[in-house]
Amino acid sequence: MFVFECAGCGATLTARLSEVALPAHAHQTYGNGIQLPVLMEPGTFAVEPEPWGPPWRKWDEIDPDEAEARGIHAPVHALSDGPAGTVVIAPGDIRNTVLIPEMAGGFCCGLDGSDGPNMACEACGLPVAGRIDDCSLWQAVWLVPDAVRRLPVDGTATAPLSWAELMAEGTGTPPYEPLTGWGRPLGSGHRWSWSPQWEAAAGRALAHLLAASGGHPVIVPDGLITEVFQRALDTMLPAGPPARRAVLAGPELPAPDAEAGILLVPVHPQTGKPWTPAGPAGPAVSAYPVPLPFGVWLWLVHPEPDLPVPTSGVMPEGVLDVDPPLPRRDHLFRADAAAFQHTLVRLPAVRSPWLREIAENLTQ
């Protein structure tokens, strides 16, 4: 467990926190006027290893060698010159800070952090964090790395959960959920839609699937995973054999067979490391691992059944129908384009001409 303190005066700025992996949807912008919830679970923090936030430089202002050194292998709209190592926490875990009114950029429905840090240490006035709570953005507080210090608060190190413990205790992330506009009462004007978390996770995974394809068709398993990936794969990849097969792999699943060249594997929610096959080396072990957030992967492996509804006729007399109607998605699944592009340009495979063309001509 850790707390973060002000680098200027030593004042405590956060509750006690434990480190987890940065969510795949951390920088997602979703829809227009949509009220998104808090990004981080209470009592947790995550670190963004790359530079993030203002100021930004457009691609034509960046030397190709600099971009390559930063792990960017294809053109992007802009790159951040902000600090690396920004720490994100839930807004409810911040302590002893005040807002800086003149830095309160945004105000469509809240703060968007576009002007830089907008929270200061209450004791000494040092800008220490940026509060984000505008519409279509995940609510969070981002701590400025040079303005805070991380301190352990106890002397014992807690080991991350094992994969067996995660399988026993973890919960899946539902693929669809009710969304509502900012400021509307609970239950007013909401609609069932694909989960923003799933769209961001699929965007990242889709980039890896293309890199793993080598320009060949890719076939994913039947079911929900087909809805999520197959339409985009068929659009971006050529038709015809030989096709490459992607399969779900991970803890408690049978070992992948030798023909599976692509493995859809879970990412540990605490360490951020993808699951890897155990046992003797073999063809499946050398297959390309495509990372999925643990909650998304778990739902694909163990989907929860649909809510019960009558298949025909009406409810019997005297029986109350207490189940809500079966959720309906309001559009075909679309992977998050920004998450897709962010991941793709950071994969060395994007240097291939056919994949570079996709990256530079991305459309809806």
Side-chain angles (χ1 to χ4, degrees):
M1 302 292 289
F2 300 88
V3 296
F4 289 84
E5 68 173 20
C6 174
C9 68
T12 299
L13 299 178
T14 70
R16 293 160 57 99
L17 305 171
S18 60
E19 187 171 6
V20 297
L22 184 72
H25 52 286
H27 300 299
Q28 184 182 34
T29 299
Y30 186 85
N32 180 26
I34 301 299
Q35 183 176 4
L36 292 178
V38 173
L39 173 66
M40 302 298 296
E41 292 291 330
T44 67
F45 74 94
V47 179
E48 169 56 81
E50 294 190 21
W52 193 262
W56 298 86
R57 278 186 295 155
K58 292 185 177 180
W59 180 253
D60 57 11
E61 301 172 353
I62 299 167
D63 184 88
D65 291 338
E66 178 189 353
E68 187 76 16
R70 291 178 60 169
I72 311 297
H73 307 292
V76 295
H77 175 68
L79 277 181
S80 169
D81 274 345
T86 307
V87 173
V88 62
I89 66 174
D93 285 331
I94 195 71
R95 302 286 187 270
N96 303 317
T97 56
V98 294
L99 286 171
I100 308 172
E102 60 270 22
M103 300 297 287
F107 281 116
C108 175
C109 298
L111 306 171
D112 67 5
S114 59
D115 291 340
N118 56 26
M119 303 184 76
C121 172
E122 188 176 27
C124 70
L126 179 69
V128 292
R131 171 71 182 260
I132 307 291
D133 56 19
D134 208 349
C135 59
S136 300
L137 301 175
W138 290 87
Q139 299 178 52
V141 169
W142 293 82
L143 303 177
V144 180
D146 294 338
V148 300
R149 290 190 292 259
R150 179 170 67 175
L151 299 177
V153 293
D154 56 46
T156 59
T158 303
L161 294 175
S162 67
W163 286 109
E165 291 170 327
L166 282 173
M167 293 299 292
E169 302 176 15
T171 56
T173 302
Y176 39 86
E177 60 186 74
L179 299 176
T180 189
W182 187 267
R184 294 184 178 180
L186 182 64
S188 170
H190 74 264
R191 58 183 174 84
W192 281 94
S193 181
W194 289 101
S195 164
Q197 295 185 51
W198 274 65
E199 294 189 10
R204 182 176 68 176
L206 181 60
H208 282 281
L209 283 167
L210 290 183
S213 75
H216 298 278
V218 171
I219 300 173
V220 299
D222 293 333
L224 178 59
I225 197 169
T226 304
E227 284 190 79
V228 172
F229 291 115
Q230 198 64 65
R231 189 165 62 99
L233 290 170
D234 292 345
T235 300
M236 295 185 182
L237 295 171
R244 297 190 173 178
R245 189 162 61 90
V247 299
L248 286 166
E252 299 184 1
L253 291 182
D257 60 57
E259 296 181 1
I262 304 172
L263 306 181
L264 294 153
V265 301
V267 171
H268 197 289
Q270 293 173 299
T271 67
K273 296 180 179 179
W275 176 88
T276 55
V285 178
S286 62
Y288 190 112
V290 174
L292 287 172
F294 180 78
V296 172
W297 176 89
L298 187 61
W299 190 284
L300 289 171
V301 173
H302 299 298
E304 295 184 16
D306 288 334
L307 298 172
V309 294
T311 56
S312 63
V314 296
M315 294 294 291
E317 185 177 354
V319 176
L320 296 178
D321 180 9
V322 296
D323 291 310
L326 185 68
R328 296 179 181 273
R329 284 84 76 189
D330 59 356
H331 57 77
L332 293 174
F333 186 88
R334 291 194 296 264
D336 187 285
F340 170 76
Q341 187 177 47
H342 178 87
T343 305
L344 186 61
V345 299
R346 287 162 173 78
L347 299 178
V350 77
R351 299 190 189 105
S352 301
W354 68 274
L355 197 47
R356 181 70 170 260
E357 184 177 356
I358 291 176
E360 294 181 357
N361 296 280
L362 186 64
T363 67
Q364 285 282 19

